[in-house]
Amino acid sequence: MKVFTRISFILLMAACGCSLGGGDYALPSDLCGIGITPDPLRSILPQGGGIEQEKIDPDTTEPIVYSCRVRIDQDIAMAITVRVYDPTGFDLMESYRAAPSAYNIGSPYEDVIGGEYAILDSGGSLVQTSCPVKKDVDVLEINVRNHAASSESEEGRERMKDFTAAFMDSAKEEFGC
């Protein structure tokens, strides 16, 4: 009878989407060195027992200046990449259309984040903002990929938009924009 009760409890917890990971984790005040306020972060991360961050040193010729992965209970929940480049002749939508799966945006929705043109859905966002890091015309391109998003919804897009706006403000401060 104890085995049946334990199995029923596990099935009940799985059905309701509750965490068996030992409770909620403490939210960090930064993501791999870039500060973030907890509320927008809390809204897009899944429940779980533990959070880990991994700053990635990009081994690429692309102008990536920041890359971070966030894991919840060992599963990748979020990844963020920031590139710096000269935007001359660059179109954000063309970049997205050239490789849509790279940005984790399945149903692109055009919007404005922090006064900047953006493409987003519940699973990801792509935004560029002026930031003279190396010269007067540099741009930061920020791509947030939320691997924990399970479906597309207006509420999910709003959570992604809020998180991206908060992260963009912190990234601009970090890079001296």
Side-chain angles (χ1 to χ4, degrees), residues 93 96 100-101 103-111 118-126 150-154 156-157 160:
M93 184 57 90
Y96 164 76
S101 62
Y103 299 106
N104 205 51
I105 303 171
S107 302
Y109 179 81
E110 295 177 275
D111 206 334
I119 302 166
L120 68 133
D121 72 2
S122 299
S125 64
L126 181 61
S150 57
S151 63
E152 173 57 19
S153 68
E154 185 175 338
R157 281 192 306 271
M160 177 58 69

Side-chain angles (χ1 to χ4, degrees), residues 8-88:
S8 297
F9 176 73
I10 291 171
L11 289 174
L12 175 65
M13 295 299 280
C16 77
C18 304
S19 170
L20 293 173
D24 289 339
Y25 44 85
L27 290 171
S29 59
D30 69 85
L31 292 176
C32 300
I34 293 183
I36 189 69
T37 54
D39 289 338
L41 179 60
R42 179 182 295 114
S43 74
I44 65 171
L45 288 179
Q47 295 292 314
I51 184 169
E52 299 171 25
Q53 300 179 50
E54 176 185 12
K55 189 168 186 175
I56 309 298
D57 184 22
D59 184 23
T60 179
T61 58
E62 288 190 50
I64 296 173
V65 294
Y66 172 88
S67 186
C68 180
R69 279 193 205 129
V70 178
R71 296 177 188 272
I72 305 297
D73 296 339
Q74 319 263 313
D75 294 324
I76 296 175
M78 180 190 314
I80 304 171
T81 304
V82 178
R83 295 184 328 134
V84 175
Y85 60 92
D86 179 340
T88 305

